[in-house]
Amino acid sequence: MELLNRLDRQLQTLEQHSLIRRRRTVETPCGPRVRVAGRELLAFCSNDYLGLAGHPALAEALREGASLYGVGSGASHLISGHGRAHAQLEERLAQFVGAHLESPRALTFCTGYMANLAVLTGLTAGDKDAEIFSESLNHASLIDGARLSRAKVSVYPHADLAALDALLAASGAATKVVVTDSVFSMDGDLAPLPALLALCEQHGAWLVVDDAHGFGALGANGHGALEHFALRSPYLVYMGTLGKAAGVGGAFVAAHEIVIETLIQKSRPYIFTTAAPPALAHALLASLDLLEGEEGRARRAHLQTLVAQLDAGLQLKRWQRMPSSTAIQPIVIGDNAETMNAGAALYEQGLWVGAIRPPTVPLGTARLRATLSAGHTSAEVAQLITALNALERT
Ligand SMILES: *Cc1c(COP(=O)(O)O)cnc(C)c1O
C-alpha cells in the first residue's frame, strides 16, 4: 500500500538521523529507583521533583477518592462531570496561588497541554484584534495553543526583554498576551518574571506564566514561581501542572475570576472534553497538603542540597553545562548520535538520564537532561557525578 510505504520511508529517515524515539516500559512506581525489563535502574529523568508520585499517602488518598466517587466522571464539566472533589480542588488551588492574583479563581484540566490550549484560545477567543507574544523556548503546548488561537503570533528571543518591549510597542492589538515558561523545561533556567510583568503592566498585556516546573518546587511554601519572585498583579494568568512536583496528574489555570469565567464560557479545550476522574482531584487535595506542610518544605530543601552537590561535583570540559539552579540540569553535547551514545552508556551502567534531541531542543544542541528529585540520596547523586565526569573523557 503506497500510503503505508510513504510513512515507512519517513520513519526510516528519522532512524538515519538518530531521531527515532523509543519507549521503555517501567515495571515499578515512578521514583528514583525503577525496574525496566527486569533491571534495576537509578532514574534521573522524571519530573517527579519532590518524589511524591509514589508517596503512600497519595496512593491512599486515591483509593479513598475511588471509594467516595467511583472511577470516571462520566461527562464534561459543563454537563454533569463536575463533582464535589473538583470544586474543592479548585477552591484549594485558588487559595494556594491566590496571594499573587487579584480576585483569584482556579479552573482544573486533565493535562497541562490542554490547559495551555485553553488559556491561549480563551484569552483571544473571537477577538480579531489579538496578538500573542511567545518566548522562543516555550513548551510545545504553548506553541500549539498560540497556533490554535488563530491570533497573530510574534516570537521574541529567549529572555530578550528589549526585543519584547519593541514588539509590544509596535503592536496595535487591543488584546496583547505575553506567554512564557517560568522554568524552561529543557534548559532549567528561570524567566525574568519581575521584568516581564513590569513590561506587561506598562503595555497593558496579559502575562501568562506556565509554571509546570515551578509549581510545588519553587517558593518557601511550594506555591511556585509567583511566590519565588513575590509577584502580584491582576495582569497575571497562571498555569500550574499537577503531574510533576505534585506527583499526581492534571493541571489548573488561576487568574482573575473574570478570566476564569471567560475560559469556562469560551474555551473549547475546556468545554469539549470529559472531566478528569474525581478521585484524582481527591488525591490532589492530599498532595497540596504535603506541598504546603513540613514535608514539602523538607523535600524542597533536600532537593536544593542535591542541586548544589551536582553543581560542585561536575567537572566537564567539552560538554556544556547550562546555568540552572533548578532540578533540571542539562548537559549540552550538540551532536545527536553522540548524545544518544552517552545516554546509552549511562544506561548500561544502570543510570537512566534523558537524551533530548531536536525538535524538542534547537538543532545542534542535543543534550542529556538530568533531573534531580528529593527522592534521591546524596550517594546516588554522587554516583551520577562520577559517571558523567568519567564518560566525558572517553
Ligand atoms: C509538562 C509541561 C506541560 C504539559 O503538562 P502536562 O500536564 O504534562 O500535559 C506544559 N508546559 C510545560 C513547560 C511542561 O513542562
Side-chain angles (χ1 to χ4, degrees):
M1 210 178 128
E2 182 49 28
L3 288 171
L4 275 180
N5 288 341
R6 283 175 68 84
L7 293 179
D8 198 38
R9 279 197 301 275
Q10 288 162 13
L11 291 175
Q12 282 166 19
T13 307
L14 287 179
E15 182 79 62
Q16 281 155 12
H17 291 87
S18 303
L19 286 174
I20 281 285
R21 298 159 184 261
R22 292 212 160 74
R23 302 173 304 169
R24 291 181 176 132
T25 305
V26 177
E27 293 154 8
T28 46
C30 172
R33 289 155 293 276
V34 294
R35 194 173 59 241
V36 175
R39 259 186 83 204
E40 307 294 329
L41 295 162
L42 191 49
F44 291 96
C45 48
S46 86
N47 303 311
D48 177 25
Y49 301 124
L50 297 185
L52 296 184
H55 197 294
L58 297 191
E60 182 49 39
L62 186 60
R63 276 190 288 273
E64 186 182 80
S67 55
L68 283 169
Y69 304 112
V71 183
S73 69
S76 67
H77 282 278
L78 290 175
I79 306 296
S80 61
H82 187 68
R84 187 175 63 184
H86 298 114
Q88 286 170 341
L89 179 61
E90 287 182 353
E91 295 249 317
R92 189 78 168 70
L93 287 166
Q95 287 163 10
F96 205 82
V97 295
H100 309 283
L101 306 165
E102 209 165 283
S103 302
R105 189 178 168 194
L107 190 67
T108 59
F109 291 84
C110 291
T111 72
Y113 188 100
M114 295 196 62
N116 279 339
L117 297 187
V119 169
L120 293 180
T121 57
L123 284 175
T124 60
D127 191 340
K128 293 208 167 46
D129 198 14
E131 184 168 353
I132 294 173
F133 303 84
S134 181
E135 140 84 60
S136 63
L137 295 188
N138 272 348
H139 189 263
S141 55
L142 292 173
I143 297 169
D144 294 354
R147 285 182 185 148
L148 190 62
S149 77
R150 292 190 275 183
K152 179 178 179 197
V153 180
S154 300
V155 176
Y156 65 94
H158 183 52
D160 191 339
L161 294 161
L164 175 61
D165 189 20
L167 284 170
L168 284 166
S171 169
T175 298
K176 301 185 181 81
V177 181
V178 174
V179 58
T180 184
D181 284 16
S182 58
V183 178
F184 290 92
S185 46
M186 294 302 138
D187 292 38
D189 58 331
L190 294 171
L193 289 181
L196 281 171
L197 181 58
L199 269 187
C200 286
E201 290 184 334
Q202 185 189 326
H203 290 281
W206 295 112
L207 178 59
V208 176
V209 177
D210 174 342
D211 201 25
H213 301 281
F215 181 81
L218 293 179
N221 298 294
H223 295 170
L226 302 184
E227 183 186 24
H228 176 83
F229 286 114
L231 300 179
R232 184 189 159 98
S233 171
Y235 289 89
L236 283 166
V237 177
Y238 180 86
M239 197 289 292
T241 64
L242 303 169
K244 289 172 178 159
V248 182
F252 72 103
V253 176
H256 193 286
E257 58 187 334
I258 294 176
V259 172
I260 297 302
E261 191 58 33
T262 302
L263 298 187
I264 295 172
Q265 300 307 323
K266 292 191 170 176
S267 220
R268 295 165 65 90
Y270 182 73
I271 298 168
F272 295 103
T273 192
T274 300
L280 288 182
H282 189 75
L284 277 161
L285 290 167
S287 168
L288 295 181
D289 287 341
L290 286 179
L291 290 178
E292 257 183 341
E294 207 33 65
E295 179 158 358
R297 201 154 303 141
R299 283 174 183 257
R300 282 186 293 278
H302 179 55
L303 178 58
Q304 276 315 306
T305 311
L306 298 178
V307 170
Q309 183 191 349
L310 187 79
D311 193 50
L314 280 183
Q315 278 153 11
L316 303 175
K317 296 185 179 66
R318 258 178 337 111
W319 296 347
Q320 288 240 304
R321 306 254 340 261
M322 314 260 326
S324 162
S325 58
T326 66
I328 301 170
Q329 293 289 328
I331 295 159
V332 177
I333 295 178
D335 180 65
N336 290 348
E338 189 183 353
T339 305
M340 296 316 287
N341 289 341
L346 290 171
Y347 197 79
E348 275 302 297
Q349 301 173 41
L351 296 170
W352 188 0
V353 177
I356 315 286
R357 291 155 292 180
T360 309
V361 292
L363 216 62
T365 70
R367 67 197 65 181
L368 297 171
R369 175 181 182 267
T371 52
L372 300 178
S373 160
H376 289 121
T377 64
S378 107
E380 288 167 344
V381 172
Q383 202 180 324
L384 175 68
I385 292 169
T386 306
L388 284 169
N389 284 340
L391 187 62
E392 195 216 23
R393 290 186 182 89
T394 59

